[in-house]
Amino acid sequence: MRIGGIEAGGTKFVCGVGNEHGEIYERVTFPTTTPEETMEKVFSFFQDKEVKAIGVGSFGPIDVDRASETYGYITQTPKVKWKNFNIVGALKNHFHVPIGFHTDVTAAALAESTWGAAKGLDSCLYMTVGTGIGVGAVIDGKPFQGLTHPEMGHILVKRHPNDRFEGFCPYHGDCLEGLAAGPALEKRWNKKGQELTDQPEVWEIESFYLAQALMNYILILSPKKIVVGGGVMKQEHLLPLVRKQVLELLNRYVAVPELTPENIDNYIVLPGLGDNAGLAGSIAFGVNGK
Ligand code: ADP
Ligand code: ZN
């Protein structure tokens, strides 16, 4: 079955066609500009693709409550032109096929648990540490949501004693995203993350925040695997620091084999699907109509 997927990101859109087995036949990428211009490119890509459904994994916050009048809208985004844009409505007007819709990180979590690093597990968390921090969860094999989708990138964390940076989240200042996303590195140290590899104090603070977040997710959701991606995780020494601090923080309180020094490398892992997770997961939303 040919299914369309749209990974709708704040900086770029990825559109593709694949199937229910996670195979991707083709994909294109273009920059996110105005909704009109960007959606025009989406429409022309899918025009002759003969897809049976389309799934969207979107930047957010978005409205994922099917009972809501604004289901399918991008809601509170700082990208003003996209604020209150009805992306599902725009697609429905153009293509008469079922449209699936959830967050980009939930898409990645679903793809990783279906085909990637968490394959075969009925729960997993996907965290991206990039321009922002986003976290998606699959619980009992399904995209996790309550009132709306969780916003686990904006949790509060304890300050590192050596950190004087005020944080950059426009809503909360020094929430996790405000202290630990890529722009926080750049604003705190006056250099891009890519250029800070050789400064251990940078990664000591970064891993201090990320490990607290993962500890909280483990305590609250108890996911069977945690997948961590995004630009900042390209620092290869960062994930081992995070794992070590997660174990120290938990202090053997959660007594499962996964949370031991022997097995932690296999519990907190990099994405198995690399850059395809978001698109593959969006296609999975199309398959499920979720
Ligand atoms: P997006 O979040 O827009 O999808 P990315 O996941 O690539 O994009 O994240 C971009 C952020 O990650 C930027 O703040 C950038 O400085 C940072 N970044 C990218 N590569 C690295 C790297 N190798 N080391 C540290 N930070 C990086
Ligand atoms: Zn915040």
Side-chain angles (χ1 to χ4, degrees):
M1 195 163 54
R2 289 170 63 83
I3 310 284
I6 304 169
E7 185 186 356
T11 38
K12 65 179 189 324
F13 263 53
V14 184
C15 293
V17 179
N19 66 16
E20 67 274 33
H21 307 297
E23 287 155 353
I24 294 176
Y25 306 130
E26 57 180 306
R27 56 180 280 162
V28 295
T29 299
F30 40 84
T32 308
T33 57
T34 61
E36 294 71 28
E37 206 174 81
T38 312
M39 293 310 290
E40 214 33 70
K41 292 197 175 125
V42 173
F43 297 151
S44 66
F45 173 78
F46 285 112
Q47 207 55 56
D48 56 356
K49 297 292 187 282
E50 298 187 346
V51 292
K52 294 276 176 288
I54 298 175
V56 186
S58 176
F59 69 102
I62 59 177
D63 188 342
V64 292
D65 174 5
R66 283 177 178 271
S68 158
E69 276 181 16
T70 51
Y71 168 77
Y73 283 56
I74 293 169
T75 55
Q76 272 303 345
T77 173
K79 294 193 79 92
V80 278
K81 290 191 175 131
W82 288 85
K83 203 168 175 167
N84 300 320
F85 180 69
N86 182 0
I87 187 166
V88 169
L91 288 165
K92 279 204 161 136
N93 284 341
H94 220 87
F95 303 106
H96 301 285
V97 296
I99 309 287
F101 183 60
H102 219 291
T103 67
D104 44 4
V105 278
T106 306
L110 186 61
E112 289 291 343
S113 69
T114 314
W115 303 298
K119 190 173 169 182
L121 301 176
D122 61 4
S123 69
C124 113
L125 218 65
Y126 181 95
M127 174 195 234
T128 178
V129 188
T131 308
I133 296 187
V135 189
V138 166
I139 305 287
D140 282 339
K142 293 194 296 267
F144 182 61
Q145 71 183 76
L147 286 173
T148 181
H149 55 88
E151 281 287 358
M152 292 184 263
H154 293 262
I155 62 168
L156 301 178
V157 286
K158 195 161 66 177
R159 297 290 296 222
H160 191 283
N162 300 340
D163 187 15
R164 298 279 163 273
F165 176 56
E166 68 274 20
F168 82 97
C169 175
Y171 290 89
H172 319 112
D174 63 353
C175 67
L176 176 71
E177 177 171 299
L179 290 171
L185 288 172
E186 190 174 345
K187 289 180 170 47
R188 181 186 291 113
W189 304 101
N190 293 316
K191 267 190 208 169
K192 281 195 184 306
Q194 295 86 315
E195 295 154 23
L196 292 164
T197 311
D198 299 329
Q199 287 177 240
E201 65 279 17
V202 170
W203 308 107
E204 153 68 28
I205 291 179
E206 183 70 8
S207 58
F208 179 82
Y209 293 134
L210 296 179
Q212 289 183 64
L214 295 193
M215 178 198 186
N216 288 328
Y217 307 150
I218 291 166
L219 293 174
I220 294 169
L221 288 172
S222 205
K224 292 185 179 162
K225 193 156 307 226
I226 297 181
V227 182
V228 194
V232 175
M233 298 315 296
K234 300 222 159 94
Q235 294 287 328
E236 286 175 8
H237 53 291
L238 178 56
L239 199 55
L241 289 175
V242 172
R243 290 180 183 127
K244 184 165 165 280
Q245 294 208 43
V246 166
L247 288 179
E248 283 168 12
L249 286 169
L250 286 169
N251 198 21
R252 296 191 294 273
Y253 180 67
V254 183
V256 295
E258 286 76 6
L259 295 170
T260 55
E262 297 74 47
N263 297 328
I264 192 85
D265 292 4
N266 200 28
Y267 177 70
I268 303 173
V269 298
L270 293 170
L273 300 172
D275 291 341
N276 272 334
L279 178 61
S282 304
I283 292 170
F285 292 154
V287 176
N288 297 343
K290 290 262 167 53

